Amino acid sequence: MKLPSILSLLILLTGATKAIAQDLTDADQIVAKANLVAFYQGADGRAETRMKIVDSKGREQIRQFTILRKDIEDGGNQIFYVLFSRPSDVKNTAFLVKKQPTGDDDRWLYLPSLDLVKRISSGDKRTSFVGSHFFYEDISGRNLTADRHALTQTTPTHYVVKNTPANPADVEFSHYMVWIQKDTFIPEKAEYFDSQNKLYRRISAENIKSIDGFPTATKMKVEDLRDGSYSVSEMRFIRYNIDLPDSVFSERSLRNPPYNWLSEQKR
């Protein structure tokens, strides 16, 4: 009777020691891992996105578009191509972004009604993405060096990290808290606080799936807690590592969409 009890205790203690050893304590390392999972899964990828925008009076707008993404370097520069299909007044509008985490992005917009490609301002990454509650930074990621990171809590399932801007005058928040899943490193929730330390904005991953072996947030919600308005983004037909050629991310593709790569059948 005593021997099995001792063995059971040793097994439990060994398991507990391993669990403790697996917990990270470096906030910068945790945030870097979460950034890779949130924005750099696979070498490239595609997804169809349906975005619902709801204002404070409950009025809805719909945006639907397909995103192609390719990494230039893991955790660094990326290129994005976005083609809109809904609503009808923006159908075939195309958007090209060359993301530079440590500097200003390069952005181009194609307006089919004018047959015009124009370069657009990219100085502020905390501006609305296509009229929604999502910011450009929410879609493509925030420069890791723009904030100071501190691990405030480690739970059985999450790391909780406080992020304080290095240059407070550049942003509208005083700090934000992020709950990062320990098993996947998916940022599950982020809450933003104003200069009065009042919570005013929340981003939540409402659905997480494993796609092509990569944990992926397929449904995201951004809430403006001041007036109750919000935006929900749902992705489908997600594919990773589809070997997108560089030619997809060109000015020519703005006028002549690469439909063979935009199709959900393309792998």
Side-chain angles (χ1 to χ4, degrees), residues 24-265:
L24 300 179
T25 58
D26 187 327
D28 290 341
Q29 183 183 7
I30 293 168
V31 170
K33 283 178 173 287
N35 183 61
L36 290 176
V37 170
F39 302 106
Y40 292 88
Q41 295 285 47
D44 59 23
R46 72 165 302 282
E48 285 188 15
T49 302
R50 184 179 184 273
M51 189 176 286
K52 181 171 71 173
I53 305 165
V54 182
D55 70 14
S56 60
K57 296 182 179 179
R59 294 173 296 197
E60 297 183 4
Q61 298 182 59
I62 299 295
R63 300 278 188 272
Q64 191 163 305
F65 48 90
T66 300
I67 297 180
L68 302 176
R69 182 261 308 172
K70 184 173 184 176
D71 299 344
I72 306 303
E73 54 185 341
D74 216 17
N77 291 8
Q78 294 174 304
I79 42 181
F80 295 87
Y81 176 91
V82 182
L83 182 69
F84 289 84
S85 55
R86 291 182 60 192
S88 57
D89 61 342
V90 297
K91 185 176 181 179
N92 294 326
T93 296
F95 189 51
L96 179 64
V97 180
K98 295 186 177 181
K99 170 190 165 184
Q100 303 176 91
T102 58
D104 290 344
D105 296 341
D106 292 325
R107 303 177 191 164
W108 293 265
L109 181 67
Y110 173 64
L111 301 172
S113 59
L114 302 174
D115 190 26
L116 174 67
V117 172
K118 68 175 193 175
R119 191 161 182 168
I120 57 178
S121 173
S122 58
D124 188 358
K125 297 182 182 182
R126 294 196 62 75
T127 55
S128 170
F129 177 74
V130 300
S132 73
H133 295 81
F134 290 90
F135 293 153
Y136 283 93
E137 279 189 343
D138 302 328
I139 303 297
S140 62
R142 180 170 169 80
N143 183 1
L144 299 186
T145 64
D147 303 309
R148 297 186 298 274
H149 313 290
L151 180 62
T152 62
Q153 186 181 5
T154 300
T155 76
T157 57
H158 292 81
Y159 297 112
V160 184
V161 178
K162 180 178 181 180
N163 308 273
T164 305
N167 296 303
D170 292 345
V171 293
E172 82 287 355
F173 56 84
S174 63
H175 70 277
Y176 62 101
M177 308 293 296
V178 181
W179 283 255
I180 298 169
Q181 290 186 352
K182 290 170 68 174
D183 57 345
T184 66
F185 284 93
I186 287 254
E188 190 173 312
K189 181 175 67 173
E191 293 188 336
Y192 291 78
F193 295 81
D194 63 19
S195 58
Q196 304 302 313
N197 204 34
K198 184 177 180 180
L199 173 64
Y200 72 94
R201 185 174 189 256
R202 179 184 293 122
I203 305 177
S204 307
E206 298 200 331
N207 195 16
I208 298 170
K209 296 181 179 179
S210 178
I211 298 174
D212 295 340
F214 298 106
T216 304
T218 61
K219 183 178 181 181
M220 300 289 296
K221 183 177 184 180
V222 180
E223 303 169 84
D224 186 333
L225 303 176
R226 297 165 296 191
D227 63 10
S229 60
Y230 64 91
S231 294
V232 176
S233 173
E234 294 187 73
M235 296 191 297
R236 61 178 187 169
F237 304 125
I238 302 169
R239 299 284 184 270
Y240 292 111
N241 292 327
I242 58 177
D243 296 322
L244 287 166
D246 290 342
S247 59
V248 165
F249 304 93
S250 65
E251 184 175 327
R252 183 179 184 280
S253 290
L254 290 171
R255 285 192 166 88
N256 301 282
Y259 288 113
N260 58 322
W261 293 103
L262 293 162
S263 168
E264 70 270 17
Q265 303 301 320

